[in-house]
Amino acid sequence: KGKAKMAQIFFESFNVPELLIAPQPLLAVFGSQKSTSLIVDIGESTTRFLPVWEGVLIKDAIQHSQVAGRKLTEYMGRLLSECDLKYFTQHVSQPTSSEYRIVANIKERFGYAALDFRNEMNQKKDLVDYILPDEQVISVGNQPFRCCEALFDPSLIGLQMTDSLQSGIYEAITSCAIDLRRSLFENITLIGGGSRISGVAERLTYELCQLAPPSTNVSITVADDSVNTIWKGCSLMSTLEALSNHWISAEIYEEYGADNLFSS
């Protein structure tokens, strides 16, 4: 039904001459210029682990996690309430949209993934100032990296360890055929807003090396312009002659209708 509605909007509202609907994981692979990869899409509401082999999405191995941008921002709000400022202690439980954006901005500006969380906690951190809309100035300390630690230890936000990034990747890869696993461990691609967190690839590499079979090479890359990887994939896919037979023309849409085209 979703595809049929999408086709209806594009053909009837935007009057496109042709349409090709492709799954986001496949577009992400094209956008990162890889045909085989374990795509980790750290989004706002969910994180998805999507194994793609030679351009084919392995649907049975897809994994999901609740640990994503929104959960991290909510956790960041709770950590900032430690500053004992009236602004945060009053609004952290039910922030307005503007307050949520402030917390998200602090997370995005100062957040990073610590390679060794315990050691980082023992280090004395220089405080950084952040000016709130009411011109209060707060000093942010270790909250940013403590917030990002929830990606690797979801128990900090009341979730199971199976929701961690390393567990999601490991489960997705080991759900694939055994002869595919080594290549997937060697081709992990991070996309989405959360992939821009400083140090996340390095920390993930460390965590996965503890889980992967001995002598397995773990290689993780953050896609260039990771937020727009899927859009880049769309642009590239639209130029491929090999996919020309998969496009739906406006004439075919008019003849058969959306419901018939996407009935299966």
Side-chain angles (χ1 to χ4, degrees), residues 176-189:
C176 298
I178 193 169
D179 57 325
L180 309 183
R181 296 175 188 175
R182 184 175 293 273
S183 293
L184 291 172
F185 271 117
E186 294 173 350
N187 289 281
I188 299 170
T189 304

Side-chain angles (χ1 to χ4, degrees), residues 19-24 26-33 225 227-244 247:
L19 178 68
L20 173 62
I21 299 176
Q24 286 190 12
L26 187 57
L27 295 172
V29 170
F30 274 97
S32 60
Q33 299 184 336
D225 192 14
V227 175
N228 296 313
T229 301
I230 290 174
W231 289 106
K232 287 184 176 181
C234 291
S235 178
L236 179 60
M237 186 173 283
S238 68
T239 67
L240 298 178
E241 288 292 334
L243 297 176
S244 59
W247 287 80

Side-chain angles (χ1 to χ4, degrees), residues 53-74:
W53 177 262
E54 296 297 334
V56 178
L57 175 64
I58 306 174
K59 295 181 179 180
D60 292 341
I62 293 174
Q63 306 293 321
H64 297 84
S65 168
Q66 298 179 62
V67 181
R70 180 170 294 277
K71 289 288 187 184
L72 292 183
T73 301
E74 292 171 352

Side-chain angles (χ1 to χ4, degrees), residues 218-231:
V218 176
S219 179
I220 300 176
T221 58
V222 179
D224 294 334
D225 192 14
S226 57
V227 175
N228 296 313
T229 301
I230 290 174
W231 289 106

Side-chain angles (χ1 to χ4, degrees), residues 10-125:
F10 273 97
F11 283 118
E12 298 181 16
S13 298
F14 296 105
N15 298 313
V16 298
E18 292 183 308
L19 178 68
L20 173 62
I21 299 176
Q24 286 190 12
L26 187 57
L27 295 172
V29 170
F30 274 97
S32 60
Q33 299 184 336
K34 294 182 179 180
S35 61
T36 294
S37 185
L38 188 283
I39 303 293
V40 182
D41 184 2
I42 310 173
E44 174 66 7
S45 60
T46 187
T47 295
R48 300 184 299 167
F49 307 91
L50 310 155
V52 178
W53 177 262
E54 296 297 334
V56 178
L57 175 64
I58 306 174
K59 295 181 179 180
D60 292 341
I62 293 174
Q63 306 293 321
H64 297 84
S65 168
Q66 298 179 62
V67 181
R70 180 170 294 277
K71 289 288 187 184
L72 292 183
T73 301
E74 292 171 352
Y75 183 40
M76 186 66 174
R78 295 197 295 273
L79 292 174
L80 287 170
S81 68
E82 297 174 355
C83 298
D84 198 29
L85 291 174
K86 184 178 180 181
Y87 185 93
F88 284 107
T89 55
Q90 281 192 339
H91 301 286
V92 67
S93 60
Q94 292 183 321
T96 65
S97 58
S98 60
E99 291 160 353
Y100 180 87
R101 286 194 296 271
I102 292 167
V103 175
N105 183 253
I106 295 173
K107 177 194 71 176
E108 292 162 6
R109 282 183 59 182
F110 306 122
Y112 66 95
L115 187 60
D116 185 332
F117 180 69
R118 291 185 178 180
N119 180 63
E120 199 79 5
M121 284 293 290
N122 291 328
Q123 301 295 318
K124 184 177 181 180
K125 308 300 295 182

